[in-house]
Amino acid sequence: MPSYNITTISASTYSTALSRYASAAPASLHALDAQRYDAIPAAVAKRRDDKFLNKSEVEKLVEWKLKHGTFRPKLLQLAQSNDEGLIKETTTSAFGFLKSSPSPSSKDILAALKILIKLKGIGPATASLLLSVAAPETVPFFSDELFRWCTWNESGSPAGWKRGIKYNMKEYEALLGNVGNIRERMDVRAVDVERVAWVLGREGVDCGDGEDSEETIEERETEEKAVKADTKEKPKKAVEKGTKRKAADVKPPTEGTRKSARTKK
């Protein structure tokens, strides 16, 4: 069985899980998925100099988040209460931190996050979603599934897909580190890491690290074969005719047991 742990998952297992996203997402989410993953990121990308989100885009993203996870109607109402001008100004300021380099640092991402949470109804998780549409390659959305996948190896109870989440900056910073590691190891996009986590979480896959990945198994088998080849006994050389045998090679004759001439009394 392949490993689904975020630290050991192989490229093939990862790709297979990602390919299951479309069928795993319910039909009711397809229209919102198109907005979250395609339309809104494309619109933001076209705003080359000063990227921003408008009010309707923020509302769509919040709606997507709530329908993708736990629905909290008051959160949407709070987000809708933000002024159009304030949303544009705040998102422009936050997105400015993502322009520092093609791959913004955790420090820049967290700085941008702190700006966005000033908006009503926008906490760290929702703020990370807004940042993600501006930088889908590098900034992950703080989803329940992604956080739990990232922290699978950590102690605590409950663990796994039931691990509790505080939705604070410290947790998101830890998530950034884990996503950064898998991105570097496998050269994948943050937005796709998020989708893989969602699929695994919905399927309830055991992501424990008890099994080795296919790549690890292959490497280990190769090493074992190399060791066996090195330790294999070499065939003994035959003694050539006319070659004088060494004294150590000559076996002494076997002595017979001499029978005593005396008779026991």
Side-chain angles (χ1 to χ4, degrees):
M1 179 181 176
S3 170
Y4 288 97
N5 193 275
I6 193 170
T7 62
T8 55
I9 190 170
S10 69
S12 59
T13 302
Y14 174 93
S15 297
T16 301
L18 180 59
S19 69
R20 296 199 297 271
Y21 179 84
S23 59
S28 59
L29 274 179
H30 289 177
L32 285 171
D33 268 0
Q35 289 290 318
R36 184 263 183 270
Y37 291 117
D38 301 313
I40 296 177
V44 173
K46 289 180 181 178
R47 301 161 190 161
R48 297 183 181 278
D49 296 329
D50 292 316
K51 295 181 179 180
F52 64 89
L53 287 169
N54 59 42
K55 185 174 181 177
S56 64
E57 290 168 340
V58 170
E59 290 174 355
K60 279 292 181 186
L61 290 171
V62 173
E63 184 183 357
W64 174 89
K65 176 181 178 292
L66 296 178
K67 289 187 176 180
H68 223 260
T70 304
F71 188 75
R72 299 182 179 89
K74 288 186 178 180
L75 196 64
L76 180 58
Q77 292 172 8
L78 284 171
Q80 290 171 335
S81 69
N82 289 296
D83 178 74
E84 174 81 52
L86 179 62
I87 288 177
K88 182 177 180 180
E89 179 185 344
T90 305
T91 55
T92 299
S93 178
F95 291 172
F97 281 91
L98 305 181
K99 297 192 299 182
S100 58
S101 69
S103 183
S105 66
S106 294
K107 182 179 179 181
D108 287 336
I109 295 172
L110 293 173
L113 206 74
K114 290 178 181 178
I115 292 174
L116 291 176
I117 60 176
K118 295 176 182 178
L119 293 170
K120 295 176 184 177
I122 307 297
T126 308
S128 71
L129 174 60
L130 305 188
L131 292 177
S132 178
V133 298
E137 297 282 338
T138 56
V139 181
F141 163 48
F142 186 176
S143 70
D144 293 1
E145 293 81 12
L146 182 55
F147 176 76
R148 287 166 177 154
W149 192 33
C150 286
T151 57
W152 197 279
N153 296 335
E154 295 182 10
S155 59
S157 181
W161 298 119
K162 294 184 178 180
R163 182 183 296 277
I165 308 175
K166 296 178 181 178
Y167 302 102
N168 56 33
M169 301 289 283
K170 184 178 180 180
E171 288 180 336
Y172 185 61
E173 186 173 8
L175 183 149
L176 281 175
N178 281 279
V179 173
N181 290 338
I182 191 172
R183 285 188 60 246
E184 183 177 355
R185 178 169 69 88
M186 296 175 57
D187 191 24
V188 292
R189 303 191 306 160
V191 68
D192 289 335
V193 177
E194 167 209 322
R195 284 192 273 203
V196 169
W198 191 84
V199 169
L200 299 180
R202 289 288 161 162
E203 293 175 348
V205 174
D206 183 0
C207 298
D209 203 22
E211 298 287 344
D212 289 331
S213 66
E214 294 100 328
E215 293 171 340
T216 303
I217 293 172
E218 185 178 350
E219 289 173 1
R220 188 173 61 201
E221 288 178 346
T222 302
E223 290 174 355
E224 288 175 352
K225 288 178 181 178
V227 171
K228 288 180 181 179
D230 290 339
T231 57
K232 191 175 181 180
E233 291 186 7
K234 296 179 180 180
K236 294 181 180 180
K237 292 183 179 180
V239 179
E240 297 179 3
K241 290 183 179 181
T243 303
K244 190 175 181 180
R245 298 176 70 183
K246 295 180 181 179
D249 294 332
V250 180
K251 293 183 179 180
T254 305
E255 294 183 0
T257 304
R258 189 172 62 182
K259 191 173 181 180
S260 176
R262 294 184 178 181
T263 305
K264 288 185 179 181
K265 292 182 180 179

